[in-house]
Amino acid sequence: MPVIQIVGYKNSGKTTLIGKLLEIFNAMNLRVAVIKHDIHGFEADRESTDTFRHRRAGAVATAITSPWRTAIIEERETMLSGLINHFEAYDLTIVEGFKQEDYPKIVLIRSREDLPLLEELTEIRAAVFRQEAGECLDNDGTGGLLAGSGLPCYHINDVEELAKLIIVSVLSLNH
């Protein structure tokens, strides 16, 4: 099952990068699912909706579906592997977060302080640097501090190149 994780610390640009990658993959007619990890909790229902009232009344799971959309809300944590299995019919699943899981990863680095991620995490396919982390790159953009590691390094705006990396290494396609 083709999965790529986009990981990094808060405000590293994960959601923005995923949005740009989705535009490229949609233009290629790839069907892509996205799973987002939120360690702070979230509220998807609005107070005025029927599903919110059902949960408030004690339902431990609710679902709503229409001809265009389906949403399922369960009052429990779901393992990442279960979520990925749910999306097995799609061409690619992009996972935002879940740093400690063992799927192929692209790691976003904001500054030198984030560099330990590159040693702490597994299955890293590339490092992506933001403008603020420019000191981590040498003049030709090949990696500076990571020279010799063999790890591909990209600037956050190199979205087309990142998409190619995902297509070749995760989807095993030659587009």
Side-chain angles (χ1 to χ4, degrees), residues 18 27 31 39 44 67 81 83 88 92 95 104 107 123 128 148 155:
I18 290 170
R31 294 176 354 119
I39 62 169
S81 59
L83 293 169
E88 69 185 350
L92 173 66
V95 176
V107 180
E123 299 295 325
V128 175
H155 185 273

Side-chain angles (χ1 to χ4, degrees), residues 2-6 92-96 104-106 125 166 170:
V3 175
I4 187 73
Q5 289 181 257
I6 307 294
L92 173 66
T93 299
I94 298 175
V95 176
E96 181 177 337
K105 291 175 187 62
I106 294 175
R125 298 297 189 264
I166 293 168
V170 177

Side-chain angles (χ1 to χ4, degrees), residues 118-143:
L118 299 175
E119 294 183 15
E120 296 167 6
L121 303 180
T122 62
E123 299 295 325
I124 299 173
R125 298 297 189 264
V128 175
F129 294 94
R130 289 176 49 158
Q131 191 64 35
E132 297 84 9
E135 74 274 5
C136 298
L137 299 173
D138 59 17
N139 290 337
D140 66 359
T142 58

